[in-house]
Amino acid sequence: VDIEAGGQKLIRITDNGSGIIQQELALALSRHATSKIHELEDLEAISSLGFRGEALPSIASVSRLSISSRTAQEKHGWKLEARSERPAQPFNQPESGTTVEVRDLFYNVPARRKFLRTEKTEFGHLEDVVKRIALSHFNVDITLRNNNRAVRQLRRAADRLQP
């Protein structure tokens, strides 16, 4: 997770997961879309902060959001700009995984921007969320960088137990 200016300038979240295929990138930015529910029983197994497909479209409406992803089966990745009419474009992404990049938060909503606190305060809120996610997802490593400097390296629980 990369943060700049308390998240107002940049919030970038990168993972090394399985990625999203080109045809589904636009779906990830569609309202009410989800890849987590295929059957009724899936509702009982939700283990994330949400599933209704609101987060990415909501953030995209108040920022300059892009999403890039590559699956292991693809030769290169694909990048989609949320506010662009262009379809996903080929993107040089060496490994599988997904990156969501949020730039210029609230650039188009000045009334909301005035409620943001100092860079330090806003970063503290983001840091708290990252810590909570790390505690509840003990099987992943999370690195948090603020203004290009590593602030937290939260290792997966199995690694923490090693001497």
Side-chain angles (χ1 to χ4, degrees), residues 46-157:
I46 297 295
S47 63
S48 65
L49 296 176
F51 65 92
R52 294 172 302 150
E54 290 296 320
L56 287 176
S58 294
I59 295 295
S61 72
V62 295
S63 69
R64 302 181 201 285
L65 185 141
S66 67
I67 183 169
S68 60
S69 194
R70 177 177 170 240
T71 65
Q73 295 75 30
E74 295 175 308
K75 294 179 182 175
H76 56 78
W78 296 91
K79 184 173 186 175
L80 181 65
E81 305 282 337
R83 296 183 156 268
S84 173
E85 297 295 321
R86 297 180 357 197
Q89 302 295 305
F91 185 71
N92 184 18
Q93 186 159 326
E95 297 180 7
S96 62
T98 302
T99 298
V100 175
E101 188 171 284
V102 175
R103 292 194 170 273
D104 305 322
L105 187 61
F106 301 126
Y107 80 96
N108 59 348
V109 190
R112 178 61 182 101
R113 212 174 32 231
K114 74 179 185 177
F115 288 100
L116 292 173
R117 303 291 179 225
T118 66
E119 180 178 325
K120 182 179 178 182
T121 300
E122 294 299 337
F123 175 75
H125 295 309
L126 292 167
E127 183 180 31
D128 186 51
V129 169
V130 169
K131 286 183 201 175
R132 289 172 190 258
I133 289 171
L135 284 171
S136 63
H137 292 83
F138 49 85
N139 59 335
V140 298
D141 292 332
I142 298 177
T143 300
L144 176 62
R145 287 183 286 272
N146 185 32
N147 297 325
N148 296 314
R149 186 177 64 94
V151 176
R152 295 268 180 263
Q153 291 189 320
L154 306 164
R155 295 175 36 212
R156 70 184 96 214

